[in-house]
């Protein structure tokens, strides 16, 4: 039985329980609706009317929909709520500063001021006729700078920047706007406004630019099912704002949306799987679909022998039992050689014959491979790949043993926004040959039986790919949102039951249908693939993962993808993975490794020095365009416990082209251009003050910066900038450590393992003790620094004076001191016998 949704699915009563209170903006009852054609949606730009300033009222949903009794209970009494984000007189403003102008009267606002620290409103609209897709004008946006995350492919987002509404691409799912205003020649404090198109009822929203004037912002809402229609929306878009801190604005906006929707959990509330703290290997770029047990073992042995032992493996596509459809007798076989190959479909939940063939019992199935990986090569986790629909072509209908999954053929319906950005999806093999879709009422059983089989074989988790395809298959199932929710409920339940470490990675999953129903999955691929053979892709990849993480990182921990260590851009990619905060893994073919590079990321025990947050662009890079403008270097910041880390990347010369609908090289800052220069400051690490041991009390703001590429240690005064110059595909990584003033002339800051990209993460404990006042005459120790350090290698610190002595454990240890830079270096010759080394530096 198909899941269905009535035409009033987007009404407040359908979206929420009538027992829940809502905050809404009262509007004029005489307001004309927005007109829209159900067959041909077009934006409407109505003349602006002068409406009184709206009041925010607190009422029950029943009252908002109209009480049958005509009486109001005590819970329906109104109370005024002040919000600095307001829609009045055709203008959406924040603290009196216009964000959108000429907003049609039929666009409504529902206040969210009482839901969290970020001021905000929900926007909706009333339309003349029910339809499955509407495009609504939100008015003009001009005189701003913005960064948008939009889907340039159905599966993946990328970033773009602009200064007016017309620059916003189709399928924009996240829009961050910087607004500045000047009064009397004095620039006011910058405001940050975030637009989050949402899921409401059976409809999913996105933003796009349009209109004859080139500055119009539009809202698109669609169900993906011609029979799932609506004409009234109250909370299709959230607009939140703060001053000074864009990252707080984003986090607060997502929190407000979470409070309203209640359909997802943020990253901070999810259990991270254990793989994120270990080095791993994926079979994809090593073997593609030709993966075998012998190949997997060869790769594991090769990495371990070189001193970079993987502790998890992802057995990617190629292990499953699949087959293509048999040709029908009536098929036209003329020109068969010119046709695309038939799309494989899943024919069983067990592994294919490659894992059962061979001489003797050495190859007897996925369980034997898992056992060998863990017992012979010391792995902690084994993951396997599967598509959210089972396989690329789904589950083949009518296959013996698979009848319970009730698979039927469906042909994807590509949304107009996706077709605008990725027109070849209309002729993609998946669109033309269709997909065997497990019935939503049987998908719980499908996932549970598949995952239970894998778990019984010792598999610890799954990489679930091709997730956005569900948005194209909603016809007859209540629409794209309903189908996606049902599949994700089943997936979440199965993962929770069968993989106790929350072992799941989401992939090809960048639509908000999935994000806004994500309660379990804690790791998400951050961008399109690493393409080892596509030269145009490498700078694009680094920019995309960083900017996408601004949005995705609120929901899950972004995974910046596998890479090749032995590759011309290996160092470029590897350093970015090391500061990403996400998992670090390669897809090297056996015997093709750069161990010098890998040892900058991987400790001898297979662990990694992972940063604490998703890596994101620095505040001054959020609205610049480091892929297109020819002048900007991309700076990426992250936090460790007692230090920060900055990566600087030249990503110029290539980007997605809106004209050619693909990634292309361009002239600005191309490969033939010279070096670009930027300034690096300590406070570019946005939360660097949180690394100060005793809060910010007494901290001068000064930092010690260690440049990984050149091995330079520099002291930067608060507000001072260090110039960094890089050519295309060049990078540098800097450890940023707040300087502690113990006494006059006695200053110290830990740096970490200086031969590793994110060596500052090795410092897991740090305490300072002042022993006597440093008056310049004393012969006694002035201060003592106690550190707990993980790992092995050269450990560096900044000290304004030569230390009196250093001890490792209870024994004195030799060290070097460079008086010109203040660098102290001592050697940690082995991994600690317990969890950490204990180092004491006496000044």
């Amino acid at each position: 039985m198909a899941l269905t949704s009535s035409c009033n699915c987007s009404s407040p009563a359908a979206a929420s329980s009538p027992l829940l209170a809502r905050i809404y903006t009262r509007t004029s009852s005489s307001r004309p609706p927005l007109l829209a054609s159900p067959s041909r949606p077009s934006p409407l730009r109505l003349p602006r009317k002068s409406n009184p300033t709206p009041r925010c009222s607190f009422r029950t949903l029943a009252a908002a929909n109209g009480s049958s009794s005509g009486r109001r209970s005590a819970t329906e009494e109104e109370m005024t709520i002040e919000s600095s984000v307001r829609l009045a007189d055709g203008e959406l403003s924040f603290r009196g500063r216009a964000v959108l102008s000429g907003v049609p009267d039929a666009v409504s606002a529902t206040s969210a001021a009482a839901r969290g620290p970020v001021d905000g409103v929900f926007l909706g609209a009333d339309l003349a006729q029910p339809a499955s897709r509407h495009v609504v004008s939100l008015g003009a946006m001009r005189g701003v700078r913005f960064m948008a995350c939009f889907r340039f492919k159905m599966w993946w987002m990328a970033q773009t920047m602009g200064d007016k509404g017309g620059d916003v691409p189709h399928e924009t799912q996240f829009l961050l706007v910087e607004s500045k205003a000047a009064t009397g020649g004095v620039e006011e404090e910058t405001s940050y406004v975030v637009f989050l198109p949402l899921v409401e009822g059976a409809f999913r929203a996105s933003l796009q630019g349009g209109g004859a004037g080139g500055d119009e912002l539009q809202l698109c809402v669609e169900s993906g099912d011609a029979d799932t229609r609506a004409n009234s929306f109250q909370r299709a878009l959230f607009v939140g704002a703060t001053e000074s801190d864009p990252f707080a604005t984003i986090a607060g906006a997502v929190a407000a949306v979470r409070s309203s929707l209640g359909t997802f959990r943020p990253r901070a509330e999810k259990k991270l799987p254990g793989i994120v703290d270990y080095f791993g290997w994926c079979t994809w770029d090593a073997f593609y679909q030709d993966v075998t047990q012998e190949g997997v073992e060869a790769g594991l042995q090769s990495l371990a022998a070189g001193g970079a032992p993987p502790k998890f493996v992802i057995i990617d596509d190629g292990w499953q039992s699949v087959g293509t459809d048999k040709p029908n007798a009536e098929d036209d076989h003329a020109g068969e050689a010119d046709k695309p190959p038939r799309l494989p479909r899943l024919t069983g939940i067990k592994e294919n014959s490659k894992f059962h063939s061979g001489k003797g019992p050495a190859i007897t199935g996925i369980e034997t491979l898992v056992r060998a990986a863990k017992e012979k090569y010391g792995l902690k986790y084994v993951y396997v790949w599967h598509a959210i629909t089972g396989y690329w072509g789904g589950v083949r209908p009518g296959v013996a043993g698979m009848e319970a999954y009730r698979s039927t053929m469906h042909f994807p319906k590509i949304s107009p926004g996706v077709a605008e950005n990725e027109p070849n999806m209309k002729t993609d093999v998946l669109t033309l040959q269709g997909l065997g879709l497990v019935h939503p009422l049987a998908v719980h059983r499908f996932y549970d039986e598949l995952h239970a089989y894998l778990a019984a074989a010792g598999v610890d988790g799954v990489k679930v790919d091709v997730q956005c395809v569900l948005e194209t298959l909603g016809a007859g199932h209540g629409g794209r949102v309903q189908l996606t929710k049902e599949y994700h409920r089943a997936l979440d339940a199965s993962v929770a039951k069968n993989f106790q470490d929350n072992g799941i990675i989401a992939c090809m999953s960048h639509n908000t249908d999935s994000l806004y129903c994500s309660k379990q999955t804690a790791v998400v691929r951050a961008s399109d693939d690493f393409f080892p053979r596509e030269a145009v892709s490498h700078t694009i990849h680094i920019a995309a993962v960083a900017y996408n993480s601004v949005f995705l990182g609120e929901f899950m921990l972004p995974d910046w993808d596998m890479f090749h260590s032995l590759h011309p851009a290996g160092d470029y990619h590897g350093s970015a993975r090391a500061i990403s905060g996400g998992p670090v893994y390669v897809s090297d073919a056996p015997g093709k490794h750069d161990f010098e590079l890998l040892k900058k990321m991987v400790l001898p025990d297979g662990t990694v020095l992972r940063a604490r947050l998703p890596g994101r662009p620095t505040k001054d890079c959020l609205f610049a365009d480091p892929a297109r403008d020819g002048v900007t270097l991309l700076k990426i910041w992250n936090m460790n416990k007692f230090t920060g880390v900055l990566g600087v990347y030249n990503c110029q010369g290539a980007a997605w082209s809106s004209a050619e609908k693909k990634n292309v090289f361009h002239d600005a800052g191309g490969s033939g251009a010279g070096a670009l220069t930027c300034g690096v400051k300590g406070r570019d690490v946005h939360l660097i003050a949180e690394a100060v041991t005793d809060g910010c009390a007494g901290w001068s703001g000064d930092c010690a910066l260690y440049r990984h590429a050149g091995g330079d240690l520099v002291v930067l005064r608060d507000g001072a900038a260090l110039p960094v110059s890089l050519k295309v595909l060049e990078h540098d990584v800097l450890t940023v450590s707040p300087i502690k003033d113990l006494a006059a002339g006695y200053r110290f800051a830990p740096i970490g393992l200086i031969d590793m990209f994110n060596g500052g993460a090795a410092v897991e404990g740090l305490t300072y003790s002042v022993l006597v006042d440093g008056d310049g005459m004393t012969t006694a120790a002035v201060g003592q620094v106690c550190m707990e350090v993980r790992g092995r290698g050269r450990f560096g610190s900044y000290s304004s004076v030569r230390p009196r002595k250093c001890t490792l454990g209870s024994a004195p240890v030799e060290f070097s001191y460079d008086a010109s830079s203040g660098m102290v270096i001592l050697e940690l010759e082995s991994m600690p016998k317990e969890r950490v080394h204990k180092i004491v530096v006496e000044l």
Side-chain angles (χ1 to χ4, degrees):
M1 179 177 178
L3 298 174
T4 60
S5 178
S6 62
C7 64
N8 67 344
C9 57
S10 66
S11 67
S16 307
S17 166
L19 297 177
L20 296 176
R22 92 179 284 147
I23 297 175
Y24 78 105
T25 299
R26 178 180 286 178
T27 54
S28 170
S29 60
S30 62
R31 181 187 63 197
L34 286 172
L35 302 177
S37 166
S39 60
R40 195 178 208 176
S42 61
L44 177 74
R45 294 164 293 280
L46 292 176
R48 181 168 53 84
K49 290 172 59 179
S50 178
N51 288 336
T53 301
R55 293 177 63 196
C56 294
S57 303
F58 180 83
R59 304 174 62 188
T60 62
L61 281 176
N65 292 330
S67 171
S68 59
S69 68
R71 293 178 297 175
R72 295 167 63 186
S73 68
T75 60
E76 296 169 357
E77 293 302 315
E78 298 181 354
M79 66 178 181
T80 300
I81 298 173
E82 295 296 331
S83 172
S84 54
V85 180
R86 308 177 69 198
L87 176 60
D89 298 324
E91 184 176 272
L92 181 72
S93 62
F94 174 59
R95 301 194 188 280
R97 188 181 306 167
V99 179
L100 294 172
S101 59
V103 180
D105 287 321
V107 173
S108 60
T110 302
S111 174
R115 294 184 177 272
V118 171
D119 283 333
V121 294
F122 292 93
L123 298 185
D126 296 324
L127 302 116
Q129 298 294 328
S132 61
R133 183 174 186 267
H134 299 278
V135 176
V136 179
S137 171
L138 296 175
M141 183 173 71
R142 58 176 73 94
V144 300
R145 294 198 302 169
F146 73 73
M147 187 273 284
C149 291
F150 72 104
R151 286 198 295 165
F152 74 106
K153 293 182 179 179
M154 185 168 77
W155 324 102
W156 305 112
M157 292 191 298
Q159 81 290 344
T160 193
M161 289 72 179
D163 57 17
K164 60 184 182 299
D167 296 336
V168 176
H170 285 76
E171 282 296 314
T172 290
Q173 302 185 126
F174 170 84
L175 183 67
L176 181 65
V177 175
E178 177 194 65
S179 177
K180 295 182 178 181
T183 303
V186 178
E187 189 176 89
E188 293 182 1
E189 189 172 16
T190 302
S191 296
Y192 297 97
V193 184
V194 61
F195 290 74
L196 297 177
L198 304 176
V199 168
E200 181 177 0
F203 283 72
R204 172 260 186 186
S206 62
L207 295 169
Q208 61 191 48
D215 55 9
E216 185 175 285
L217 184 65
Q218 300 173 349
L219 178 70
C220 175
V221 289
E222 55 192 335
S223 71
D225 178 14
D227 295 328
T228 302
R229 308 165 72 216
N231 67 333
S232 179
F233 304 91
Q234 284 74 44
R235 298 192 172 198
L237 173 68
F238 178 77
V239 183
T242 64
E243 292 181 340
S244 302
D245 190 343
F247 301 106
T249 307
I250 297 162
V254 172
V257 168
R258 184 269 182 96
S259 178
S260 175
L261 295 183
T263 57
F264 69 94
R265 292 194 298 153
R267 168 183 50 83
E269 296 182 11
K270 295 176 179 177
K271 174 183 171 59
L272 288 176
I275 62 168
V276 300
D277 290 314
Y278 293 92
F279 173 61
W281 178 59
C282 179
T283 63
W284 179 242
D285 285 316
F287 302 111
Y288 297 108
Q289 293 169 327
D290 296 326
V291 60
T292 63
Q293 175 162 340
E294 297 97 330
V296 173
E297 289 203 49
L300 297 176
Q301 192 279 330
S302 180
L303 284 165
K311 293 300 176 182
F312 73 88
V313 65
I314 301 173
I315 301 172
D316 215 294
D317 188 6
W319 70 271
Q320 292 173 285
S321 296
V322 300
T324 57
D325 298 336
K326 296 179 179 179
N328 294 321
E330 60 270 20
D331 284 348
D332 181 8
H333 298 289
E336 191 75 28
D338 298 328
K339 294 180 180 179
R342 292 183 179 271
L343 192 62
R345 312 191 195 283
L346 194 69
T347 57
I349 63 173
K350 297 183 179 181
E351 64 274 17
N352 60 44
S353 59
K354 290 185 295 182
F355 294 86
H356 285 285
S357 61
K359 298 178 180 179
I363 304 177
T364 58
I366 200 79
E367 183 176 1
T368 301
L369 175 54
V370 172
R371 187 181 303 119
K374 293 183 177 181
E375 296 178 2
K376 187 175 180 180
Y377 300 103
L379 269 70
K380 296 176 70 69
Y381 306 99
V382 175
Y383 279 38
V384 300
W385 176 99
H386 70 77
I388 199 164
T389 53
Y391 200 67
W392 295 101
V395 173
R396 186 198 286 175
V399 174
M402 305 276 276
E403 300 90 346
Y405 307 141
R406 300 166 58 186
S407 174
T408 56
M409 288 301 298
H410 285 59
F411 289 84
K413 305 295 183 184
I414 307 303
S415 73
V418 168
E420 174 67 27
N421 291 343
E422 192 183 13
N424 60 8
M425 274 305 301
K426 293 182 290 187
T427 56
D428 186 82
V429 63
L430 183 60
T431 307
L432 298 179
Q433 297 186 18
L435 182 148
L437 183 69
V438 171
H439 196 282
L441 297 181
V443 73
H444 287 256
R445 177 174 180 177
F446 172 65
Y447 286 145
D448 184 54
E449 291 182 354
L450 170 61
H451 294 162
Y453 175 77
L454 294 171
V459 171
D460 302 284
V462 284
K463 173 183 172 182
V464 182
D465 213 339
V466 206
Q467 294 196 18
C468 287
V469 74
L470 295 176
E471 73 178 55
T472 70
L473 304 171
H477 296 291
R480 55 189 287 173
V481 172
Q482 185 62 33
L483 181 65
T484 299
K485 283 182 178 178
E486 194 62 39
Y487 262 67
H488 278 275
R489 286 192 198 103
L491 186 62
D492 285 355
S494 180
V495 168
K497 176 184 175 183
N498 294 293
F499 304 124
Q500 300 305 307
D501 191 49
N502 197 24
I504 180 170
I505 301 171
C507 192
M508 299 177 75
S509 59
H510 282 192
N511 61 6
T512 45
D513 312 52
S514 299
L515 290 177
Y516 287 124
C517 70
S518 169
K519 291 188 174 182
Q520 185 79 21
T521 304
V523 179
V524 60
R525 270 278 309 280
S527 78
D528 202 351
D529 292 4
F530 164 76
F531 294 109
R533 296 167 185 84
E534 293 186 13
V536 72
S537 71
H538 302 300
T539 56
I540 291 172
H541 186 100
I542 301 304
V545 290
Y547 284 96
N548 286 345
S549 293
V550 173
F551 179 45
L552 293 175
E554 298 298 327
F555 299 86
M556 307 177 206
L557 183 66
D559 165 7
W560 290 15
D561 199 17
M562 66 193 92
F563 70 101
H564 279 175
S565 67
L566 192 61
H567 188 277
D571 212 63
Y572 190 78
H573 281 281
S575 65
R577 306 312 192 272
I579 67 171
S580 72
V584 176
Y585 57 110
V586 295
S587 54
D588 296 350
K592 297 181 179 179
H593 317 289
D594 182 343
F595 287 108
E596 183 179 349
L597 169 60
L598 292 177
K599 289 175 183 179
K600 297 176 184 178
M601 298 179 287
V602 187
L603 292 172
D605 61 358
T607 60
V608 296
L609 298 177
R610 186 171 68 87
R612 307 179 80 190
L613 300 171
R616 287 162 287 180
T618 56
K619 183 177 176 179
D620 61 340
C621 285
L622 282 174
F623 304 100
D625 194 341
R628 299 176 177 89
D629 67 15
V631 297
T632 302
L633 294 178
L634 172 61
K635 295 183 289 185
I636 301 170
W637 70 275
N638 212 326
M639 286 293 296
N640 302 312
K641 192 171 183 179
F642 298 104
T643 64
V645 62
L646 281 171
V648 187
Y649 295 83
N650 190 326
C651 300
Q652 297 288 347
W656 183 79
S657 167
S658 59
E660 299 185 49
K661 310 299 183 185
K662 64 179 182 178
N663 292 331
V664 298
F665 288 112
H666 58 79
D667 293 335
S671 59
L676 300 178
T677 301
C678 71
V680 171
K681 300 179 181 180
R683 293 187 189 268
D684 281 343
V685 178
H686 191 68
L687 300 176
I688 190 61
E690 295 187 4
V692 179
T693 54
D694 51 358
C696 290
W699 180 45
S700 65
D702 296 354
C703 291
L705 270 68
Y706 177 76
R707 293 186 63 175
H708 188 274
D712 306 320
L713 179 63
V714 178
V715 173
L716 275 189
R717 299 294 183 186
D718 191 18
L722 174 70
V724 174
S725 297
L726 301 170
K727 295 182 179 179
V728 171
L729 276 174
E730 291 183 343
H731 73 284
D732 202 351
V733 176
L734 301 93
T735 298
V736 181
S737 185
I739 295 176
K740 173 69 173 181
D741 289 285
L742 287 89
Y746 291 81
R747 318 183 82 199
F748 191 90
I751 301 300
L753 295 176
I754 60 176
D755 295 318
M756 301 192 74
F757 285 127
N758 189 28
V763 183
E764 297 196 347
L766 175 64
T767 57
Y768 294 98
S769 301
V770 178
L771 305 180
V772 298
D773 291 334
D775 58 6
M777 302 295 292
T778 181
T779 58
V782 172
Q784 182 174 275
V785 185
C786 300
M787 295 174 285
E788 294 182 344
V789 178
R790 188 160 64 92
R792 185 183 75 182
R794 294 193 302 159
F795 181 82
S797 299
Y798 162 75
S799 178
S800 61
V801 298
R802 181 181 180 86
R804 295 168 61 89
K805 66 177 179 179
C806 298
T807 58
L808 178 60
S810 58
V813 62
E814 292 185 0
F815 64 90
S816 64
Y817 180 70
D818 180 358
S820 63
S821 66
M823 174 69 90
V824 180
I825 298 177
L826 57 87
E827 186 75 34
L828 304 177
E829 296 181 349
S830 62
M831 293 291 288
K833 294 180 180 179
E834 298 181 355
R835 190 179 63 85
V836 292
H837 297 287
K838 293 186 178 181
I839 300 171
V840 177
V841 178
E842 192 175 287
L843 303 178

